Amino acid sequence: MLLEMIPVKDIIRKYFEEDSVEISLENKVMRKSIVIDPKKCISCGICVEVCPLKVIRPKTPHPKIDVKRCVFCDHCVEACPVGAVEIIYLVGKVINNYLLIYRVSRNKKLVYNPKRCIMCLVCKKNCPFGVIDVGDGEIKFDMNKCTLCGHCGYLCPCDAIGFEGE
């Protein structure tokens, strides 16, 4: 007897915080978060200085990150001299009505599928680092500028841009 049917989306939102859930057509959920460990942070301000989007604000006693504007580029993580800044990637999949959650590493390689690309240029318009350009009728990526933050892949409406992790 079915008493109540609760959408998986509602359950995921309950456990992953209201605005931090991304759901794809494959019943996959990914949550990225960035944290500053107050026990490790020495309030040096280096993370504030290196943030290219200026989403980290100096606060007392520790800097605060505007997580909604952060694209998880990893600049602050790399620059922190005491390892106080961490990006956490969680992936969940719904399999046979069970939600499996596992932790994944950061992106290591950008994968572009030109056959899926419809040249809408949403990626180019929204790349915070000016990595994407158009040449010879296809998208080009300047991997010297790319931070592998994954923002372009998240925004791509046809999943033409993806990433491989560690």
Side-chain angles (χ1 to χ4, degrees):
M1 173 187 248
L2 182 63
L3 296 175
E4 184 176 325
M5 204 167 161
I6 302 172
V8 172
K9 183 177 176 181
D10 293 344
I11 295 169
I12 292 168
R13 284 190 192 278
K14 178 180 176 183
Y15 291 101
F16 283 87
E17 298 175 19
E18 189 62 32
D19 294 326
S20 63
V21 177
E22 303 163 18
I23 299 175
S24 76
L25 297 175
E26 298 142 44
N27 293 326
K28 216 160 92 171
V29 181
M30 178 151 187
R31 178 181 183 213
K32 291 187 238 179
S33 64
I34 185 166
V35 293
I36 297 176
D37 185 342
K39 292 178 184 170
K40 292 182 181 177
C41 181
I42 58 173
S43 299
C44 64
I46 292 174
C47 58
V48 175
E49 293 172 22
V50 301
C51 180
L53 301 179
K54 305 299 179 206
V55 300
I56 305 175
R57 295 179 308 281
K59 294 273 185 176
T60 305
H62 307 290
K64 298 291 181 210
I65 301 171
D66 183 350
V67 178
K68 291 184 180 188
R69 291 184 41 230
C70 180
V71 296
F72 307 96
C73 68
D74 210 35
H75 283 121
C76 56
V77 174
E78 297 285 328
C80 182
V82 294
V85 186
E86 181 183 14
I87 297 174
I88 300 165
Y89 298 89
L90 293 176
V91 175
K93 249 185 176 173
V94 178
I95 300 175
N96 296 330
N97 292 324
Y98 288 96
L99 178 61
L100 304 175
I101 299 172
Y102 51 96
R103 196 173 179 156
V104 295
S105 300
R106 67 183 295 261
N107 296 329
K108 285 292 182 189
K109 181 181 175 186
L110 183 143
V111 180
Y112 171 63
N113 183 345
K115 293 178 182 174
R116 293 192 67 117
C117 183
I118 59 172
M119 296 299 287
C120 65
L121 302 182
V122 168
C123 56
K124 179 179 173 24
K125 294 173 193 165
N126 291 284
C127 177
F129 306 106
V131 169
I132 303 167
D133 206 358
V134 179
D136 299 327
E138 67 177 35
I139 299 210
K140 305 281 186 191
F141 299 89
D142 183 346
M143 295 313 292
N144 292 324
K145 291 183 188 177
C146 185
T147 64
L148 298 171
C149 69
H151 193 60
C152 59
Y154 168 71
L155 293 174
C156 181
C158 49
D159 293 326
I161 303 170
F163 293 87
E164 292 177 0
E166 292 180 324

